[in-house]
Amino acid sequence: MANIIDGKAISAQIKEELKEKVAVMEAEGRQVTLAVIQVGSDPASSVYVGNKKKACAYIGIRSLSYELEEKTTEEELLALIGELNNREDVNGILVQLPLPSHIEEDKIIKAIRPEKDVDGFHPQSVGALCIGQPGFVSCTPAGIIQLLKRSGIEIAGKECVVVGRSNIVGKPMALLLLRENATVTVAHSKTKDLKDVTRRADILVVAVGRPKMITKEYVKEGAVVIDVGIHRNAENKLCGDVDYDDVAPICSAITPVPGGVGPMTIAMLMNNCVESIK
Ligand code: NDP
């Protein structure tokens, strides 16, 4: 049976380390501040924003909350970002996605100064990752690297397959694995013979957004399986993109849903906030 990679425990460990760092900064008179902007009141977004603010409070990061009405215009949002970009007491700016359809997300992401782009979504942050320069990295894939490293799983030289090529997960995941000296393949909806590709993986990262799509036929015996997906099934229970019960018996390590990748995303956001003060 596989080792279960405990994202809850690893994220708690990272938060404790950050708490200590923030306490030292505070003693030196430096306060980390994150501005969190939510437009509209989408219930899922409100839960995510609430969790991020809770994590900030726990670690000792000051969070400034901007809850804007659904009808907020693009110009108004850009004006607020401009103001926060110029505030010296604000280190990080987070705009909760998705935004209402009348606001162009790309424009908003580009408006955040790269030095305050704690989500790591700005084209400059993505470009820096691509060419191996310092910059903020998207939190979910950064969290997966931490999960692997802190579980003692070697990445260098391994065959890694990432299923999914989104800007937020799949692409930065592939770049990070490459940075760690893995041999990386990215698969997507147009990939032919997906099972043949995924069965090559020593480390398989799945971010397809399809509940329980990955069954044991997709997985090589002894592989490490990282499940990024989050879904609620008919019984309101959470599940991932991987059919956990089917796959766990044949792999060497696996992340559960919940309690795997999910908690790491917030831990890495907090890490980026602490880094942003530099
Ligand atoms: P997207 O929908 O943006 O991307 C899905 C990717 O999967 C696309 O690249 C798509 O290919 C590919 N894909 C879809 N169907 C197939 C298929 N049948 N075979 C092969 N590839 C396929 O999703 P995200 O990357 O944003 O998220 C993926 C999952 O991760 C979701 O369940 C999401 O909820 C979850 N998530 C979890 C987070 C966490 O903190 N745990 C954070 C972010 C996301 P193509 O490009 O060709 O369309």
Side-chain angles (χ1 to χ4, degrees):
M1 194 69 179
N3 283 325
I4 298 168
I5 300 175
D6 188 345
K8 242 173 138 175
I10 296 173
S11 76
Q13 188 184 33
I14 292 172
K15 283 193 213 154
E16 287 312 314
E17 291 165 12
L18 292 172
K19 201 173 173 178
E20 281 174 30
K21 273 193 194 170
V22 168
V24 171
M25 286 176 177
E26 232 175 64
E28 293 166 354
R30 295 189 296 158
Q31 165 82 66
V32 186
T33 300
L34 171 69
V36 183
I37 305 172
Q38 184 182 359
V39 184
S41 53
D42 170 60
S45 291
S46 300
V47 171
Y48 290 135
V49 165
N51 288 340
K52 288 168 188 175
K53 287 196 264 189
K54 237 196 286 178
C56 281
Y58 180 74
I59 289 165
I61 294 172
R62 181 170 71 125
S63 63
L64 305 177
S65 187
Y66 297 87
E67 286 161 21
L68 309 183
E69 287 181 59
E70 180 89 23
K71 63 174 202 259
T72 302
T73 64
E74 196 172 271
E75 291 67 36
E76 286 167 331
L77 181 54
L78 287 170
L80 173 60
I81 292 171
E83 183 193 314
L84 295 168
N85 275 340
N86 291 328
R87 270 180 63 172
E88 283 196 6
D89 65 325
V90 173
N91 312 101
I93 302 172
L94 183 150
V95 179
Q96 184 64 41
L97 302 179
L99 289 166
S101 56
H102 64 277
I103 300 179
E104 226 183 288
E105 268 178 19
D106 281 354
K107 225 180 190 176
I108 300 303
I109 290 169
K110 267 194 216 151
I112 298 171
R113 266 175 58 187
E115 308 89 89
K116 300 193 179 191
D117 170 39
V118 285
D119 260 334
F121 296 163
H122 191 286
Q124 189 174 311
S125 309
V126 179
L129 171 63
C130 198
I131 59 173
Q133 286 187 0
F136 290 115
V137 176
S138 181
C139 300
T140 302
I144 291 170
I145 296 291
Q146 286 300 314
L147 277 183
L148 293 169
K149 286 189 171 173
R150 290 176 186 244
S151 304
I153 295 164
E154 177 91 30
I155 304 173
K158 293 287 172 64
E159 282 280 350
C160 294
V161 176
V162 180
V163 192
R165 56 173 165 181
S166 69
N167 290 339
I168 290 175
V169 187
K171 282 181 196 150
M173 186 74 250
L175 289 167
L176 283 174
L177 290 166
L178 196 60
R179 190 164 87 178
E180 297 295 332
N181 298 313
T183 302
V184 185
T185 304
V186 182
H188 45 77
S189 69
K190 307 288 186 293
T191 298
K192 289 212 170 74
D193 304 322
L194 182 63
K195 285 179 189 165
D196 289 344
V197 175
T198 54
R199 271 201 302 254
R200 292 206 303 259
D202 301 314
I203 300 174
L204 177 62
V205 180
V206 187
V208 286
R210 294 180 184 266
K212 297 192 180 183
M213 181 184 130
I214 300 298
T215 53
K216 64 174 185 292
E217 290 74 31
Y218 289 81
V219 180
K220 177 169 81 175
E221 186 132 9
V224 173
V225 178
I226 305 292
D227 187 355
V228 185
I230 311 178
H231 313 274
R232 248 178 221 289
N233 67 13
E235 297 96 57
N236 207 31
K237 270 181 71 182
L238 289 175
C239 73
D241 290 343
V242 175
D243 185 339
Y244 183 91
D245 294 333
D246 195 47
V247 169
I250 67 152
C251 54
S252 61
I254 187 166
T255 56
V257 178
V261 173
M264 294 302 292
T265 301
I266 290 195
M268 297 319 289
L269 173 69
M270 296 299 108
N271 181 65
N272 282 353
C273 290
V274 172
E275 290 293 310
S276 70
I277 204 166
K278 292 180 185 161

